[in-house]
Amino acid sequence: MTDGGDRLRDERLIGRAFRLHPLSIPYRVLEQGLGLAFVLLVVGAPAFGMVANSLGTSLTAVLGAVLVVGVVGYGVAYYRRFEYELTADTFDIRSGVFARRDREIPLRRIQNVDISQNIVQRALGIAEVRLETAGGSTSEAHLKFVSVTRANRLQREISRLSRAGDEQSPEPEAFETLFEISDRELGLLAVVSTDLRIIPALFLGASLFAPSAAAMFDAEMLLYGYQSVIGAVLGPLVTLAGIVLVGLLYGALNATLYYGFTLRGAADELRYERGLLQKYSGTIPLSKIQSLTVEENVLARAIGYASLEIETAGQSGGGEGNQGSSQSAIPLATRDRVLELTNSIEPVGDVGFERPPKRARQRYGVRYAAVVVILTGVLWLVDAVVGLPFAWWLALGALVLVPPAAHLKWRNRGYAVGENHVLTRNGFWVRQTKIVPYYRVQTVVSSSTVFQRRRRLATVTIDTAGARSLVGNDAKAVDVDDVTATQLREGVSGNLYTALRRRRHDEGRRRRFGDRRQSSGEPVAEE
């Protein structure tokens, strides 16, 4: 929470037009100039020679100087023609060098206020600010660049006004640190963040290329029949090296993205900070949350760890590592700690999931067996045409993995219907448990494919206003009994209307209570 002096400085932001930071001129010019320099480096020398032969060296140099002046001039004009203003109800932007554009963004629509800085921007003391609104595929407002102090003040004041809708509203409660990633957790994040779904691809690649690598060894060794031995040893070694290399790359990336991750919370809002090379900070209004996702890949699950993602309706400018509108509230922590924070945001309690019927497990087994048979047929065809360095029929050995794979897929699927939420769970390699409050549900759809209908199964999709819904990452109860799917769809829809009526009733009570307190001259306290 800001003190009184900061509050007074924040209030001066309201009703005043501001320009970007003056350093945004050289930074943008340099940023655009580097792109232009790359193009000139690739095509510049031949183009310069052709133009110089036609117009002469002097005139060509003059044209190059005009181009440079044009880039600099545009940067100055962009700075002078860009203004932003914060009012009690809107955030206004006036911009455009050749064509003017005026925008008024209602503060109530703003979902996230995100700040980012790379190393150069941090050295210069400037920051990039993005304002995200509901349903936007891109940032609604993009300030490149303002001072770090101004960015933080804008973030605080926009968050306050968007919640209160009143310039004279009180400051929010003091922010409390809810989670701070430790060095141990950051190290574990680097280890468990490897996507294990790449392992089959690496094994396939090693099987194809290891024999070629073995052929590079001394011909005398091959003459004595060591080729198969070298291939058998080299294949697993190459695969293991590939897995380790990919794991190191993933770990290094996640360690830099979530270095110093801190989550703080007040009554109405969460705020996060993270990043080593690229630093991010942003807001997560609790009133704008669409869903929560507890995510556990197979490695994290084995050691009792999980992560928590929060989805809002904006695009969320979390930068790299951000997926759509989801922002990590906890990158990695013990599962109990993740569930504790999850319940503090949306009280869910202990949940028992209903698994799909067992005939769904049979469906998975048939599907996986068909994949193995098709792959074996493809390898047989390749062997018949060009020949393979291994026996194609060995691929049939994967059939022994079909029953456990089908069982694990079935075991990690399910749904639960609570008093205030609907929950779904899917995935073995990366298991996602999605929590959707009923009042955030947009539509509920049940569907079934031709193959599902043969086994009397269906899928129920619970759609929200989150941007990830656009890419099909909704909460889904997959392969439930078709009769149960109809009941689930109707039940969630009924709970939606009940939740909306209850919220309207509660909001009406709070509004009437506030009006009575104001008319009597009593101070109005936030409930």
Side-chain angles (χ1 to χ4, degrees):
M1 181 176 68
T2 59
D3 59 24
D6 284 338
R7 172 72 192 277
L8 291 175
R9 287 195 296 270
D10 281 347
E11 288 181 341
R12 296 194 190 117
L13 291 174
I14 301 174
R16 292 181 56 190
F18 293 93
R19 287 196 175 123
L20 301 174
H21 196 284
L23 286 177
S24 65
I25 301 175
Y27 188 91
R28 287 176 61 88
V29 169
L30 181 62
E31 192 177 45
Q32 296 170 355
L34 289 176
L36 182 61
F38 177 77
V39 174
L40 293 177
L41 187 65
V42 175
V43 301
F48 181 84
M50 294 174 59
V51 175
N53 291 334
S54 302
L55 302 179
T57 304
S58 299
L59 185 56
T60 302
V62 171
L63 290 176
V66 169
L67 180 62
V68 173
V69 172
V71 172
V72 175
Y74 182 84
V76 175
Y78 182 90
Y79 166 79
R80 295 185 62 84
R81 300 279 284 176
F82 191 104
E83 290 183 340
Y84 62 93
E85 180 179 352
L86 177 64
T87 72
D89 302 306
T90 63
F91 188 85
D92 305 335
I93 295 179
R94 295 176 287 276
S95 63
V97 176
F98 302 108
R100 296 293 288 169
R101 184 185 181 191
D102 295 341
R103 283 173 289 168
E104 288 188 359
I105 306 170
L107 297 182
R108 291 280 187 176
R109 286 187 57 215
I110 294 176
Q111 303 284 318
N112 312 86
V113 183
D114 298 300
I115 303 171
S116 64
Q117 293 177 282
N118 60 29
I119 294 178
V120 177
Q121 293 162 9
R122 285 155 67 181
L124 295 176
I126 58 177
E128 185 175 342
V129 180
R130 295 176 182 266
L131 306 183
E132 317 292 345
T133 58
S137 59
T138 58
S139 300
E140 187 72 23
H142 195 182
L143 306 182
K144 296 179 63 174
F145 299 88
V146 299
S147 69
V148 177
T149 302
R150 176 72 53 77
N152 291 328
R153 289 167 59 190
L154 282 171
Q155 186 183 69
R156 288 197 302 267
E157 196 68 359
I158 290 173
S159 297
R160 182 177 69 86
L161 293 174
S162 63
R163 289 191 306 272
D166 181 3
E167 182 179 346
Q168 303 302 322
S169 63
E171 286 285 340
E173 300 178 24
F175 278 82
E176 171 190 3
T177 299
L178 302 178
F179 176 77
E180 189 171 5
I181 195 166
S182 65
D183 293 340
R184 181 176 183 273
E185 290 164 338
L186 192 65
L188 285 174
L189 178 65
V191 174
V192 306
S193 57
T194 301
D195 191 344
L196 296 182
R197 289 171 292 186
I198 66 170
I199 293 178
L202 290 174
F203 270 111
L204 179 61
S207 299
L208 293 175
F209 294 106
S212 299
M216 299 171 58
F217 280 77
D218 188 81
E220 185 176 352
M221 295 181 65
L222 303 182
L223 182 62
Y224 285 99
Y226 294 122
Q227 183 176 10
S228 59
V229 176
I230 295 174
V233 174
L234 189 59
L237 288 178
V238 170
T239 302
L240 181 61
I243 294 172
V244 172
L245 178 61
V246 172
L248 291 175
L249 292 176
Y250 266 75
L253 176 62
N254 280 278
T256 58
L257 288 176
Y258 292 103
Y259 179 84
F261 185 95
T262 303
L263 181 72
R264 296 179 297 129
D268 302 313
E269 184 179 78
L270 300 175
R271 293 184 183 176
Y272 65 88
E273 295 179 359
R274 65 179 176 88
L276 178 62
L277 302 178
Q278 185 93 356
K279 188 175 181 180
Y280 301 98
S281 67
T283 60
I284 307 174
L286 294 178
S287 62
K288 308 291 178 68
I289 291 175
Q290 301 296 311
S291 66
L292 295 90
T293 302
V294 177
E295 187 170 286
E296 313 155 90
N297 68 23
V298 67
L299 289 178
R301 199 159 65 241
I303 59 176
Y305 277 71
S307 64
L308 174 64
E309 290 186 351
I310 296 177
E311 183 177 10
T312 60
Q315 184 62 16
S316 185
E320 295 180 55
N322 176 53
Q323 301 178 5
S325 63
S326 288
Q327 173 58 50
S328 284
I330 296 183
L332 189 74
T334 60
R335 195 171 190 274
D336 291 341
R337 193 176 180 187
V338 169
L339 294 180
E340 180 182 356
L341 179 59
T342 302
N343 277 285
S344 70
I345 299 172
E346 289 289 345
V348 177
D350 295 329
V351 177
F353 285 90
E354 294 286 338
R355 291 196 182 110
K358 292 184 177 180
R359 60 181 181 274
R361 182 169 56 186
Q362 297 170 359
R363 176 174 178 254
Y364 305 148
V366 172
R367 182 194 302 174
Y368 293 154
V371 170
V372 172
V373 171
I374 292 173
L375 177 61
T376 304
V378 171
L379 293 177
W380 170 81
L381 184 61
V382 172
D383 182 68
V385 175
V386 297
L388 289 175
F390 58 89
W392 58 266
W393 45 266
L394 290 176
L396 289 173
L399 287 174
V400 300
L401 301 177
V402 167
H407 176 74
L408 290 173
K409 188 179 187 70
W410 171 80
R411 184 179 179 183
N412 287 280
R413 274 188 167 163
Y415 71 93
V417 177
E419 182 179 356
N420 300 305
H421 309 82
V422 59
L423 298 88
T424 64
R425 186 173 66 185
N426 291 288
F428 166 71
W429 293 105
V430 180
R431 189 171 73 186
Q432 291 186 336
T433 303
K434 289 184 175 290
I435 304 164
V436 182
Y438 289 128
Y439 67 90
R440 289 302 185 189
V441 174
Q442 295 289 311
T443 58
V444 187
V445 179
S446 60
S447 60
S448 57
T449 65
V450 174
F451 302 104
Q452 284 179 314
R453 288 198 295 271
R454 289 174 60 88
R455 293 185 176 271
R456 306 188 313 280
L457 301 173
T459 295
V460 179
T461 303
I462 299 102
D463 182 30
T464 66
R468 296 186 77 176
S469 297
L470 300 176
V471 295
N473 198 4
D474 292 304
K476 295 180 180 180
V478 183
D479 286 336
V480 298
D481 180 83
D482 53 1
V483 175
T484 303
T486 301
Q487 295 172 348
L488 178 60
R489 186 193 69 228
E490 295 174 351
V492 172
S493 298
N495 289 334
L496 162 63
Y497 297 124
T498 301
L500 291 176
R501 285 194 296 269
R502 184 165 56 243
R503 284 179 64 84
R504 283 196 293 267
H505 179 263
D506 292 343
E507 289 174 1
R509 286 186 57 190
R510 284 195 296 268
R511 193 177 299 111
R512 290 192 298 271
F513 177 76
D515 291 342
R516 286 198 301 270
R517 296 288 294 272
Q518 286 181 338
S519 63
S520 63
E522 300 179 33
V524 180
E526 291 186 3
E527 295 185 0

